[in-house]
Amino acid sequence: MTFPRRANRQAAEKSVATPPNSSQITARNRQKPPMPAEYARRRTFAIISHPDAGKTTLTEKLLLFGGAIQLAGEVKAKATRRQTRSDWMKIERERGISVVTSVMTFEYADLVFNLLDTPGHEDFSEDTYRTLSAVDSAVMVIDAAKGIEDRTKKLFEVCRLRDIPIVTFVNKMDREARHPFELLEEIEKTLALDTAPVSWPLGSGRGFAGVYDLEHKSVRRMDAASEAPEPLPEVTALTLAPYLAEAERETVAEEISLAEAACRPFEMQSFREGHLTPVLFGSALRNFGVRDLIDRLAAIAPAPEPRPAEEREVSPGEKAMSGFVFKIQANMDPNHRDRIAFMRICSGKLDRGMKAKLVRTGKLISLNAPQFFFAQDRKVADEAFPGDIVGIPNHGTLRIGDTLTEGENLTFHGVPSFAPEILRRVRVGDAMKAKKLRESLVQMAEEGVVQVFLPYDGSQPIIGVVGALQLDVLKDRLATEYNLDIAFETPRFQVCRWVSAEKRTDLDAFTAKHRGDMAADLDGSPVFMAPSAFMLKFEMDRAPEVKFSDVKDYQREAMAK
């Protein structure tokens, strides 16, 4: 396993006995030294795509080229497939899908890459949304035969909201594919995103011979013994003879000539602002185009940049450490009931053994064993820098969206919860395990797998999910990790909303009137549940003094209390 190189630890570890006041910490934070070499080396990116576009296979091959693994797995429907490193959960390996975000750190070209492999299925959109809050760039994988699909479009919209630069990789060129110009036009029209192809495919399907580098005027062969590009300063039917069948040479030569004349050149500023995407072609399954992709990321992907918080903008060059938790994962090690909070470091430097302030509670916590991750595997991190993703073992202290600092009260623009689209009541076969079921559901809710609502009338818990596949994941994990055999029942409720009011008396009156329809979420906040969207609208019209919300940002609520 390869992990990023780390500088020697300081002779004395930093320890904060009591957090300094806000004026002191703010003054110190504003002292911005020149960009340190360590955080300038970080490249933190996610891979997004529609399911089955080849995202996880590309992830494995990126790790292979980065020297992080010796034999890449790929996702395909065969019982004899090699196991992928990024899909480590039992249900992921059984079904060949990603259901949780995996974090992998590796080094390539003297840079430290933090790669986040996101779930492609829409049922896990909240996990993906939270993950995209922690990255500086993204790779968008497109199936060459299918083009832009629904899930790709939705994930791109999230990236656009956060101004995340995107590199596009058109995958599966070794299969039957749509015309490159058609794919480029679809990207521009569907996503309103300018394209700048940096390579051009030489054929497709069985005739796919490689790619022509539009910038360096060279050819990289598909099955060449050497990865070295072959110079090709002039593209004609004659010069393409070593690569293509005679019937294709003239057509491909015209395409390349047209691409050079008509397509936009790559512009770094437009890319960094999220207006333009460089486009590469290849086949992850056959290891082709992957090195070009990682080289391109090394050359153009941004290092950590300033991040907005509620109070101010936080620069990665500030001296004081700050970061936010975007993911919780429990039971990664089946031999231990461990619980890991994944934190993106935004500024300063994290030293093993230091103390940090949990802004939500104001309490100090010790970071005695921060960890770097390679999917399920881990390694203790003596120090980490802005852009790094570190795991912090804890026993329920940290929540998704929490901010850790060296004393300053900061709340990073975070990670809200959305009202679920499917509600189910959970029952366990053995009544003696009812308490264990409730405790395990709370842990799953803290991790973000599901949302849990505890009815005011004391009946069985109700869980909320975005998609049906999350129910399968919950059932599998409860059986595997907690030895609980559960069943789902459809309750009389179909929709739910968080409720609040300016006057406490108005909320109390509404709650008393609808006690059989009320529940508490994980934080104890009141939730109104309705049997249909029509009845929800009916109750909203009858109670104008009550606010019904389908989005909740508990960090802001906690800071306001």
Side-chain angles (χ1 to χ4, degrees):
M1 186 190 315
T2 301
F3 285 95
R5 296 193 303 266
R6 304 289 169 188
N8 293 330
R9 292 181 62 190
Q10 296 178 352
E13 288 186 338
K14 190 171 186 180
S15 178
V16 181
T18 57
N21 60 50
S22 296
S23 61
Q24 290 174 323
I25 196 73
T26 302
R28 183 174 63 170
N29 274 345
R30 300 297 170 82
Q31 300 173 6
K32 299 180 181 179
M35 179 182 266
E38 279 300 326
Y39 91 69
R41 295 173 60 218
R42 267 56 185 177
R43 301 292 184 271
T44 303
F45 70 101
I47 301 184
I48 61 173
S49 77
H50 193 85
D52 299 324
K55 172 180 58 61
T56 298
T57 300
L58 177 63
T59 298
E60 296 293 313
K61 299 308 172 73
L62 283 171
L63 298 174
L64 176 66
F65 277 94
I69 55 177
Q70 300 301 315
L71 182 65
E74 67 257 9
V75 177
K76 56 183 179 180
K78 289 185 180 180
T80 57
R81 67 181 182 268
R82 290 190 295 270
Q83 299 292 351
T84 60
R85 296 299 298 270
S86 55
D87 287 348
W88 55 270
M89 291 179 65
K90 176 174 173 285
I91 190 172
E92 290 180 309
R93 294 187 167 182
E94 287 177 348
R95 300 198 181 193
I97 57 172
S98 299
V99 302
V100 297
T101 297
S102 289
V103 179
M104 287 147 287
T105 301
F106 65 95
E107 192 171 18
Y108 178 83
D110 200 37
L111 296 173
V112 178
F113 286 88
N114 295 294
L115 189 163
L116 284 72
D117 179 25
T118 62
H121 202 284
E122 63 182 353
D123 287 4
F124 306 98
S125 56
E126 276 199 77
D127 190 26
T128 303
Y129 186 92
R130 291 190 290 260
T131 298
L132 291 175
S133 70
V135 302
D136 300 308
S137 58
V139 173
M140 180 170 65
V141 184
I142 295 176
D143 188 319
K146 299 177 181 177
I148 300 296
E149 299 174 86
D150 290 341
R151 183 69 181 142
T152 310
K153 184 177 179 180
K154 291 178 181 178
L155 290 171
F156 171 78
E157 290 171 354
V158 175
C159 291
R160 169 158 283 172
L161 288 172
R162 300 183 181 279
D163 295 324
I164 297 174
I166 291 177
V167 177
T168 300
F169 183 77
V170 180
N171 193 25
K172 302 184 180 181
M173 286 301 301
D174 57 328
R175 304 180 186 181
E176 293 305 315
R178 292 164 60 182
H179 195 281
F181 279 122
E182 183 182 345
L183 290 169
L184 295 177
E185 183 180 18
E186 184 178 35
I187 293 173
E188 295 197 352
K189 288 187 175 180
T190 306
L191 305 181
L193 181 67
D194 293 339
T195 60
V198 295
S199 65
W200 198 262
L202 302 179
S204 65
R206 293 184 177 180
F208 182 53
V211 295
Y212 177 74
D213 190 323
L214 295 170
E215 292 183 350
H216 300 99
K217 312 298 182 185
S218 61
V219 170
R220 195 184 295 276
R221 287 177 180 263
M222 175 72 167
D223 297 314
S226 171
E227 292 187 1
E230 302 173 10
L232 192 68
E234 185 180 4
V235 178
T236 65
L238 183 61
T239 58
L240 289 177
Y243 312 105
L244 294 170
E246 184 175 357
E248 299 179 289
R249 296 170 195 168
E250 189 68 38
T251 301
V252 173
E254 291 177 358
E255 289 176 0
I256 292 175
S257 177
L258 181 59
E260 290 178 322
C263 291
R264 294 177 181 82
F266 175 76
E267 296 177 358
M268 181 68 81
Q269 182 177 351
S270 184
F271 164 70
R272 293 285 179 88
E273 292 174 351
H275 303 313
L276 178 144
T277 178
V279 182
L280 297 93
F281 297 83
S283 169
L285 186 61
R286 298 183 65 177
N287 291 346
F288 188 79
V290 180
R291 186 174 295 280
D292 292 337
L293 174 61
I294 195 171
D295 286 340
R296 177 65 51 169
L297 286 170
I300 67 174
E305 296 180 338
R307 286 191 161 261
E310 287 292 317
E311 298 75 11
R312 63 179 182 84
E313 188 174 75
V314 179
S315 169
E318 297 175 6
K319 291 184 177 180
M321 190 280 297
S322 67
F324 66 92
V325 175
F326 66 93
K327 172 182 173 61
I328 302 287
Q329 184 71 51
N331 303 326
M332 293 182 71
D333 184 350
N335 297 320
H336 303 87
R337 291 293 183 207
D338 63 345
R339 178 189 172 92
I340 303 293
F342 288 84
M343 181 176 77
R344 153 75 189 234
I345 298 179
C346 300
S347 67
K349 175 186 174 185
L350 183 149
D351 285 305
R352 179 185 175 190
M354 72 183 295
K355 293 183 184 295
K357 177 183 178 181
L358 175 54
V359 174
R360 175 170 51 88
T361 64
K363 296 180 179 179
L364 293 176
I365 63 173
S366 297
L367 306 181
N368 293 323
Q371 299 169 351
F372 288 120
F373 279 86
F374 187 77
Q376 190 180 16
D377 300 324
R378 62 189 78 182
K379 179 182 180 181
V380 173
D382 288 331
E383 54 190 14
F385 299 88
D388 280 336
I389 307 295
V390 295
I392 302 174
N394 69 102
H395 299 286
T397 306
L398 295 175
R399 295 274 307 278
I400 291 173
D402 276 342
T403 299
L404 293 178
T405 70
E406 287 193 56
E408 186 178 4
N409 287 333
L410 292 173
T411 306
F412 285 100
H413 285 167
V415 207
S417 296
F418 301 94
E421 298 178 13
I422 299 175
L423 297 174
R424 291 292 184 268
R425 200 178 295 277
V426 184
R427 295 192 182 276
V428 64
D430 186 352
M432 299 296 291
K433 294 183 177 180
K435 182 179 179 181
K436 183 179 180 181
L437 171 64
R438 183 166 295 214
E439 292 173 350
S440 61
L441 287 176
V442 167
Q443 292 182 22
M444 292 288 109
E446 290 173 346
E447 187 180 323
V449 175
V450 296
Q451 294 184 52
V452 172
F453 306 108
L454 304 177
Y456 282 10
D457 60 11
S459 57
Q460 291 291 334
I462 293 177
I463 61 166
V465 296
V466 174
L469 192 54
Q470 284 180 281
L471 297 175
D472 295 340
V473 172
L474 176 65
K475 186 171 184 177
D476 180 84
R477 290 192 59 184
L478 289 179
T480 302
E481 300 171 16
Y482 298 93
N483 195 29
L484 288 172
D485 183 19
I486 65 166
F488 298 115
E489 297 178 355
T490 303
R492 63 184 182 90
F493 308 111
Q494 291 186 8
V495 293
C496 67
R497 294 292 186 269
W498 286 277
V499 291
S500 60
E502 292 186 6
K503 296 180 180 179
R504 181 68 192 184
T505 52
D506 291 338
L507 183 60
D508 290 342
F510 180 84
T511 300
K513 183 178 179 181
H514 299 86
R515 187 166 182 80
D517 304 325
M518 297 296 297
D521 70 2
L522 190 62
D523 304 306
S525 300
V527 177
F528 173 72
M529 294 180 288
S532 66
F534 173 81
M535 288 304 299
L536 173 64
K537 180 67 167 56
F538 178 74
E539 294 297 343
M540 291 172 66
D541 292 340
R542 292 181 61 189
E545 71 281 1
V546 176
K547 179 182 178 182
F548 296 76
S549 177
D550 59 355
V551 179
K552 178 190 176 186
D553 192 339
Y554 89 91
Q555 295 89 359
R556 294 184 183 180
E557 293 181 6
M559 290 293 292
K561 291 180 180 178

